[in-house]
Amino acid sequence: MAKDLEAIAKSKRIKYFLVSWVDLFGVLRAKLVPARAIKGMQKDGAGFAGFAAWLDMTPAHPDLFAIPDPDSLIQLPWKPEIGWVAADLWMDGKEVEASPRVALKRQLAKASRKGYRMKTGVECEYHLITPDGTKLADAADIQAKPCYDQLALMRQYPVVGQICDAMLKLGWNPYQNDHEDANGQFEMNWDYDDALKTADKHVFFKYMVKSIAEEHGLRATFMPKPFTHLTGNGCHAHVSLWDRAGKKNLFETSRRDPRGLGLSPLAYKALGGIMHSASDLAAIFNPTVNSYKRINAPRTMSGATWSPNAVTYAGNNRTHMIRVPEDGRFELRLMDGAANPYLLQAGVLMAVLDGIANKRDPGEPTHLNMYEEGHRAKNPRMLPLNLLDAIRQFDKNKVIREGLGDELVDAYVKLKMQAWDSYATHLSSWERENTLDC
C-alpha cells in the first residue's frame, strides 16, 4: 500500500511539498503544493504545460501531470517544513515514455523480469564559485596540486559541513568529503543503493548543494568544464548487478578470474555491453557542448585531466574509461556533472542488459597508463569529439533505439540538435579575435 503523503505531512509537520521532476535536459522542475492539497496531487498529479520545459511537446499538447512517488519523499534538512518528492510524468492517462524517470523505470522492469537488480553509487563533483560565475569562491585556493588540500577544504567547511550534516540526517550514510583535483572543486560520497533510489538522491543532492551554497552567498556548479585550465566535474558511477532480492552480488565470483580483476563471467558480459555502446551513449553521459571540453581536454594545471577519451578498461587504474577498483563492481568514469541522473542510470542498465543478452566480450584489459601510453593501445574506439558527433551516433545506434525506445531517442535527438544549432549560430569572442582581420 502506498504511503499517504497527507498523513505524513501531519506527522512530520510538513507545510509544503515540492512535486518535482527532471526534463530531458536535466532541469529540475516543480510546483510548490500546500499540504492541504497533497492528497489530490498524490492521486491525480500536479499539472504542467510540457512545452514550457525541455520535453518534445507543443503548446497544443494536453496537460502533463506529475504524480509523486511517496517512496522518494525527502524532508529538506535546512527547511524541514518542506517535503521534496520525485514525480513520474503522465499524459492522457498513460506515462510519458520520453521522460527520464519513466525511462529508468522501464529499464529496471526489464532487469527485474530477467532476475536482476542494479545497484549504483555516484561521485558528484562540483565547484564553489562566485555568484556571477566568473571565478572561484576561495581566492586563496591557488595550489598547483590542490587535491585533498586540508586548508582549502576547511575554508569551505561551513558549506561542506552543512551538506554532509544534511546527508547524515537523511540517512544516506555519507562517508567522506574532500577537496578534489581542481581548485575550488569538491566531492562528497554516500552509500550506494538501488539505481532508482540513487538517481533520486542524485537529483536531490544537486538541488541541495546549490541551495546551501546560495545560503552562504556562493554558487555551486556541476558544469563539466567551468574553467579551461582546471580539471572538470565528473560524475563517476559505480555499478554492480544483484539478484532480484538484492541479496547476492552477481558481479562477484568465487572462482579464479583469468583476467585477474575479480569479476564474474556475467560482469564481463555487462562490461562488454557498456563498451559496445559507450561512445554512442556519450550523448546522454556527456550531454552538453561543454562536456567535450572535459573528455577531450589537454593536460590541466594539476597535471592530469582525470577523464577518458577512449573506450578502454583496466583494474585499479584511473586513466581508463572503466576502472575495476575491487572485486564485484566497476567504475564508469565517462559521465560528467551535466548528466541527467535518470538517463545516466537508464543508459548504463540498458547497455548492461544488452551485453548479457548478446554475450558481448569486452576483450582483455588494457594495462597501460592511457595518459602517457595511449598510443600503444590496440585500436580502442575513441569517444566523440563534440556534441554533434555524439548526437548523430546516439541517433543511429540500433541497440540504443531498441533498448531505450524510439520515442525517447527521437525526442532527445530533436531537442539536442536544437541546442547544437543554437550553439553553432552563436558568434563567440574567439571567432572575433581570430577572424576579424582575416
Side-chain angles (χ1 to χ4, degrees):
M1 184 176 179
K3 297 176 182 176
D4 185 340
L5 289 175
E6 183 181 49
I8 292 173
K10 291 177 181 176
S11 66
K12 293 183 176 292
R13 298 182 180 179
I14 295 174
K15 293 171 61 178
Y16 292 94
F17 288 87
L18 281 166
V19 178
S20 181
W21 52 278
V22 174
D23 67 20
L24 287 172
F25 282 13
V27 180
L28 189 58
R29 312 286 181 171
K31 281 195 173 180
L32 186 64
V33 176
R36 62 165 294 280
I38 197 61
K39 184 174 183 179
M41 296 291 179
Q42 185 170 355
K43 178 177 180 292
D44 301 319
F48 294 83
F51 176 72
W54 294 114
L55 297 171
D56 185 20
M57 296 179 183
T58 73
H61 273 82
D63 283 346
L64 179 73
F65 291 96
I67 298 180
D69 178 353
D71 289 333
S72 69
L73 175 63
I74 296 174
Q75 196 167 358
L76 272 60
W78 67 99
K79 282 189 176 71
E81 71 273 18
I82 298 176
W84 178 90
V85 62
D88 296 315
L89 299 182
W90 289 69
M91 183 178 283
D92 285 338
K94 58 185 180 181
E95 288 180 303
V96 177
E97 296 299 323
S99 59
R101 197 170 192 267
V102 171
L104 173 55
K105 291 174 73 174
R106 292 289 181 267
Q107 297 305 312
L108 294 172
K110 289 179 185 178
S112 181
R113 288 193 293 270
K114 296 177 183 295
Y116 303 134
R117 184 170 174 174
M118 188 170 80
K119 296 190 180 186
T120 59
V122 290
E123 301 176 1
C124 307
E125 296 171 337
Y126 63 92
H127 280 78
L128 289 175
I129 57 177
T130 55
D132 65 2
T134 59
K135 52 185 179 290
L136 299 177
D138 181 3
D141 192 346
I142 57 173
Q143 277 209 55
K145 284 186 174 288
C147 203
Y148 315 124
D149 183 349
Q150 180 171 299
L151 285 173
L153 173 65
M154 293 309 293
R155 282 196 296 270
Q156 298 295 6
Y157 172 76
V159 178
V160 174
Q162 186 179 347
I163 296 168
C164 191
D165 286 344
M167 289 194 287
L168 286 165
K169 190 171 184 178
L170 293 172
W172 290 11
N173 300 324
Y175 54 88
Q176 62 185 8
N177 311 290
D178 69 82
H179 189 295
E180 273 296 316
D181 189 66
N183 305 100
Q185 186 184 48
F186 300 87
E187 179 180 306
M188 311 176 73
N189 304 123
W190 66 91
D191 280 357
Y192 68 92
D193 209 333
D194 289 330
L196 182 61
K197 291 183 179 179
T198 292
D200 285 339
K201 291 175 182 177
H202 185 179
V203 172
F204 186 81
F205 177 77
K206 293 180 72 173
Y207 168 66
M208 175 169 63
V209 169
K210 292 174 183 179
S211 297
I212 290 175
E214 285 181 0
E215 287 192 353
H216 291 267
L218 306 178
R219 184 174 182 177
T221 179
F222 295 82
M223 182 178 178
K225 190 75 169 177
F227 302 98
T228 56
H229 64 297
L230 300 178
T231 305
N233 288 316
C235 184
H236 305 158
H238 292 257
V239 180
S240 55
L241 204 64
W242 298 61
D243 63 2
R244 187 183 287 114
K247 301 296 184 183
K248 183 180 180 181
N249 183 353
L250 302 178
F251 280 4
E252 290 183 340
T253 181
S254 58
R255 299 179 181 179
R256 175 182 169 273
D257 174 4
R259 287 167 168 152
L261 302 182
L263 296 178
S264 69
L266 185 81
Y268 280 110
K269 293 172 187 174
L271 189 57
I274 290 173
M275 294 186 67
H276 180 77
S277 294
S279 182
D280 299 341
L281 283 168
I284 55 176
F285 293 161
N286 311 99
T288 70
V289 169
N290 181 256
S291 296
Y292 298 84
K293 292 177 170 62
R294 169 184 167 265
I295 61 174
N296 292 300
R299 183 176 295 182
T300 62
M301 190 172 76
S302 70
T305 65
W306 301 105
S307 58
N309 62 12
V311 181
T312 59
Y313 83 101
N316 200 352
N317 180 338
R318 288 180 171 85
T319 68
H320 291 265
M321 189 192 81
I322 302 175
R323 176 176 75 112
V324 183
E326 62 181 17
D327 296 358
R329 67 180 169 100
F330 46 75
E331 176 193 38
L332 308 180
R333 299 177 59 80
L334 175 56
M335 300 81 159
D336 64 45
N340 186 308
Y342 299 111
L343 294 183
L344 183 161
Q345 302 286 341
V348 170
L349 184 51
M350 183 280 300
V352 163
L353 294 176
D354 168 68
I356 294 170
N358 292 288
K359 299 181 173 60
R360 299 200 187 277
D361 183 1
E364 293 301 310
T366 304
H367 296 298
L368 296 171
N369 177 344
M370 287 298 290
Y371 297 162
E372 303 291 340
E373 305 172 288
H375 60 281
R376 293 176 53 201
K378 295 180 180 179
N379 301 315
R381 189 174 181 187
M382 303 305 292
L383 294 169
L385 293 174
N386 55 61
L387 181 62
L388 179 61
D389 289 347
I391 297 168
R392 287 172 172 168
Q393 291 177 209
F394 179 76
D395 188 23
K396 294 177 181 177
N397 187 297
K398 293 179 180 179
V399 171
I400 292 173
R401 282 194 168 274
E402 182 179 347
L404 295 180
D406 287 333
E407 190 172 341
L408 174 64
V409 172
D410 288 341
Y412 190 81
V413 168
K414 177 182 175 180
L415 294 175
K416 279 296 174 182
M417 283 301 295
Q418 291 174 0
W420 175 264
D421 289 343
S422 174
Y423 164 73
T425 56
H426 171 71
L427 186 63
S428 69
S429 59
W430 184 93
E431 292 173 89
R432 297 188 65 83
E433 291 166 4
N434 288 273
T435 321
L436 274 177
D437 295 321
C438 63

